[in-house]
Amino acid sequence: MAKDKLIGVDLGGTTIKFAILTDAGEIQQKWSIKTNIFDEGAHIVPDIIDSINHHLDLYQLDRERVIGIGMGTPGTVNRDKGTVTGAFNLNWKTEQNVKAEIEAGTGFSLTLDNDANSAALGEAWKGAGNNDDEVSFVTLGTGVGGGLVANGQLIHGTAGAGGEVGHMIVEPNGYLCTCGNYGCLEQYASATGVVHLAQDLAEEYVGSSKLKQLISDGDEVTSKIVFDLAKDGDFLANEVVDKVAYYLGYATATMSNILNPSAVVIGGGVAAAGEFLRARVEKSWQTFAFPTVRNSTRVKLAELGNDAGVIGAASLART
């Protein structure tokens, strides 16, 4: 019997997404369960095993057809040992032997990688990257993550920190980052970074602005509110968006000048602002990009949305 099915798992702090795909990357079934982080995350791996086994039975899929499982996870992944450390949003306080446990519980081989890397693979394979071997991916959410695909392979670096684009310094001696450095991209282009910038710029701004009023009144301000107000013409909100786009353009141009990918793909929740943000990022990117890169690399929006993680994770099982 031909092995022609892949299983993708996208492990997140609130939800675990699953998909069964063809070996060509087409999703055939997908489902999700809540992430149970109680008891130091002890339920997470057993829940993954149970859910995979249950759904294979439910869909009456012959297990002989499954090539393997690929999984994207938060934290630092030791791909050789199949372990995960530092996944604090999963309440995993110690090293987790994820690969050994899932393989024992399902009978399938498991390939692990970081969740941002998995999303990058998904966009490179079936999304905005158009299955090109050279694709750089930046995801803008509560933090800034990324994944760099070169020669068709993810760049991992010597200790697994390759592709940590959120920790490029874009403002020397700028905002303090959770990593301990100052001025990381994550502090300016993440959802929290956008709000931080808005608060700082609002202090200096003396004109009329709904955003300024919200901040002065102590009302809740989110990155979505900032972008929505900017689209409605709020001057201060547009100043904030321009600043975010400047930092993103600078960072993505620097990446592009080193790697010369066919595309820099921007995804994640903040990127839901769409073309409104992409066009401004590209304007800054054009300023900083090397001429050859300017003519060969494109700045694009991600296309797969929430499916990028499971598709990219599934692609790990092909290798």
Side-chain angles (χ1 to χ4, degrees):
M1 184 174 288
K3 287 191 177 290
D4 59 354
K5 304 295 182 192
L6 301 165
I7 298 174
V9 183
D10 182 13
L11 173 54
T14 54
T15 307
I16 308 170
K17 301 184 190 74
F18 300 81
I20 297 170
L21 301 87
T22 66
D23 53 5
E26 303 304 323
I27 292 179
Q28 295 190 311
Q29 306 283 356
K30 62 178 177 176
W31 70 95
S32 64
I33 61 174
K34 283 197 175 355
T35 309
N36 182 351
I37 64 168
F38 291 111
D39 304 320
E40 297 191 0
H43 304 283
I44 293 172
V45 169
D47 285 354
I48 289 170
I49 292 166
D50 289 347
S51 192
I52 290 172
N53 288 332
H54 169 69
H55 282 82
L56 289 178
D57 290 342
L58 186 67
Y59 301 134
Q60 297 181 332
L61 179 61
D62 193 316
R63 301 172 77 91
E64 291 295 314
R65 296 178 65 182
V66 176
I67 297 165
I69 305 168
M71 184 167 113
T73 174
T76 301
V77 175
N78 184 316
R79 291 177 304 121
D80 294 328
K81 288 169 60 183
T83 57
V84 180
T85 52
F88 302 113
N89 61 332
L90 300 177
N91 207 14
W92 280 349
K93 295 174 180 172
T94 57
E95 184 177 76
Q96 304 290 312
N97 292 308
V98 175
K99 178 179 170 72
E101 290 176 31
I102 291 180
E103 287 185 342
T106 63
F108 301 122
S109 63
L110 174 78
T111 309
L112 270 177
D113 213 318
N114 171 268
D115 50 0
N117 279 344
S118 295
L121 280 177
E123 283 293 341
W125 185 26
K126 303 300 292 185
N130 294 324
N131 203 22
D132 195 87
D133 282 348
E134 310 289 335
V135 179
S136 298
F137 178 69
V138 183
T139 178
L140 313 173
T142 47
V144 172
L148 308 176
V149 179
N151 298 322
Q153 301 289 320
L154 279 166
I155 294 174
H156 289 99
T158 194
E164 285 284 358
V165 297
H167 297 288
M168 295 173 65
I169 305 298
V170 294
E171 184 65 70
N173 306 311
Y175 295 156
L176 175 64
C177 184
T178 52
C179 75
N181 284 339
Y182 291 84
C184 293
L185 177 64
E186 181 163 292
Q187 296 306 309
Y188 296 89
S190 65
T192 47
V194 171
V195 173
H196 194 169
L197 273 174
Q199 289 166 336
D200 274 10
L201 291 177
E203 272 186 37
E204 305 162 11
Y205 186 67
V206 290
S208 156
S209 161
K210 177 76 185 293
L211 178 59
K212 166 97 174 172
Q213 187 184 333
L214 287 172
I215 291 170
S216 299
D217 290 347
D219 292 335
E220 185 193 14
V221 173
T222 64
S223 61
K224 185 179 185 305
I225 288 170
V226 172
F227 279 99
D228 286 347
L229 287 172
K231 288 174 182 175
D232 288 343
D234 186 285
F235 183 84
L236 175 61
N238 273 290
E239 291 287 289
V240 176
V241 173
D242 283 342
K243 197 83 170 162
V244 172
Y246 165 83
Y247 288 122
L248 271 170
Y250 174 76
T252 52
T254 302
M255 286 159 49
S256 301
N257 291 346
I258 296 167
L259 294 168
N260 189 203
S262 64
V264 175
V265 180
I266 302 171
V270 175
E275 181 61 19
F276 184 76
L277 174 63
R278 191 212 65 83
R280 295 189 192 202
V281 171
E282 184 173 54
K283 187 177 173 188
S284 285
W285 181 89
Q286 292 272 359
T287 303
F288 297 114
F290 180 67
T292 308
V293 170
R294 204 179 300 141
N295 294 327
S296 55
T297 299
R298 292 288 163 265
V299 179
K300 301 174 79 172
L301 290 169
E303 295 174 358
L304 298 178
N306 285 333
D307 289 340
V310 284
I311 292 173
S315 78
L316 293 168
R318 296 189 306 158
T319 55

